[in-house]
Amino acid sequence: MTEQQARLERLARVVVEPLHRYLLRRTHADLAEDVLAETLLVLWRRIDDVPGLGPGDDDVQPDTGPPPDPADVLPWCYGVARGCLANARRAEGRRLRLLERLIRRQEPPAVIAPTDHTDHTDLYAALDTLTALDREVVQLWAWEELTPRQIAEVTGLTPNAVSIRLHRAKKRLAARLGRKDAERPGHKRVEGRSSQ
C-alpha cells in the first residue's frame, strides 16, 4: 500500500460518516452518494493539502497509523463536500434545463421529505426565510456541531463574520418560531439576565 493510500484510508475512517450525514441533510440520497464519491476523489488528489492530517509514512499501514483528529480535518473536508455538492447541483440544473427544452415542458423538481417522522415543518419554513449562506452557517453549527472557526474554514468567511451571521440568524429563527421573548420556567429576568 502506498503512503497516499494509507493516509486516505486513515482520513476516510474519520470523515466518511460525517460527510455522508452532511450531504444527506442537503440533498437526496442518490446525489449524496455521488457527491460523497466525488468528495473522496478530491481528497485523494489533495491528500497533502488536508490540514491536520500530518505527514505520511511509507511504512505505515492504515490499521497501525494514528487516526487524525476530526476537529482538525472535518471542517476542510466539509468545505470540499460543499464545493462538490454545488458542482453537482449546477450540473443537475444544466441537465434539467436541457431536458425541459427537449420535452418542451417544465416540471417542478421533487421535494425530498426529511426521513425523520417528527414534524419540523415550522423549522424548515423558518430556515427557508434565511439567505442561503445564513442557512448554511446555522446548519453547520446546529447539525454538524462546528465552531465558528470551523464554519469559517468551510464557508470562506472570517470567524467573526460567522459569529455575527450565526447570532443574527438565530435571532431571526427564534422570532419566526415565536420564541423571541419566551422565558424559561422558573427563571426571572433581572436587568436582561436570568436570576438563576
Side-chain angles (χ1 to χ4, degrees):
M1 176 177 289
T2 68
E3 173 190 350
Q4 186 177 12
Q5 289 171 323
R7 293 178 76 202
L8 182 66
E9 291 229 3
R10 285 195 309 275
L11 178 64
R13 289 173 192 234
V14 172
V15 302
V16 165
E17 188 177 321
L19 288 175
H20 192 243
R21 284 192 312 263
Y22 169 85
L23 293 167
L24 284 174
R25 290 183 181 120
R26 286 157 177 79
T27 190
H28 56 86
D30 290 338
L31 185 57
E33 296 290 330
D34 291 344
V35 172
L36 181 60
E38 181 65 26
T39 301
L40 290 173
L41 181 61
V42 172
L43 293 177
W44 167 260
R45 287 192 314 250
R46 298 190 59 199
I47 195 73
D48 292 332
D49 297 334
V50 180
L53 189 55
D57 184 349
D58 289 336
D59 299 328
V60 173
Q61 296 299 315
D63 293 332
T64 60
D69 183 358
D72 293 337
V73 295
L74 266 174
W76 194 84
C77 294
Y78 283 137
V80 171
R82 182 175 185 246
C84 290
L85 180 58
N87 289 341
R89 284 181 173 156
R90 282 191 294 273
E92 189 172 322
R94 287 190 299 271
R95 184 185 60 77
L96 287 174
R97 286 189 299 277
L98 175 61
L99 184 61
E100 288 170 2
R101 282 192 305 235
L102 292 174
I103 61 175
R104 298 209 184 268
R105 64 184 175 122
Q106 180 180 359
E107 296 192 20
V111 176
I112 306 302
T115 56
D116 187 0
H117 297 293
T118 308
D119 182 19
H120 296 294
T121 307
D122 293 342
L123 175 61
Y124 286 108
L127 281 170
D128 284 342
T129 64
L130 299 176
T131 65
L133 184 56
D134 286 348
R135 186 171 43 250
E136 179 74 3
V137 166
V138 169
Q139 289 172 336
L140 287 168
W141 172 77
W143 292 343
E144 311 310 332
E145 300 179 357
L146 297 183
T147 65
R149 179 188 56 78
Q150 293 169 324
I151 295 169
E153 191 172 336
V154 174
T155 60
L157 299 169
T158 66
N160 189 44
V162 167
S163 295
I164 292 169
R165 281 183 175 273
L166 183 60
H167 175 74
R168 290 177 180 167
K170 287 181 352 185
K171 277 182 84 170
R172 286 193 298 270
L173 287 173
R176 178 77 178 187
L177 294 171
R179 300 179 184 147
K180 185 175 182 181
D181 292 318
E183 289 185 21
R184 293 185 293 172
H187 290 258
K188 295 180 184 176
R189 296 186 62 84
V190 178
E191 296 181 17
R193 296 192 173 195
S194 172
S195 62
Q196 294 185 355

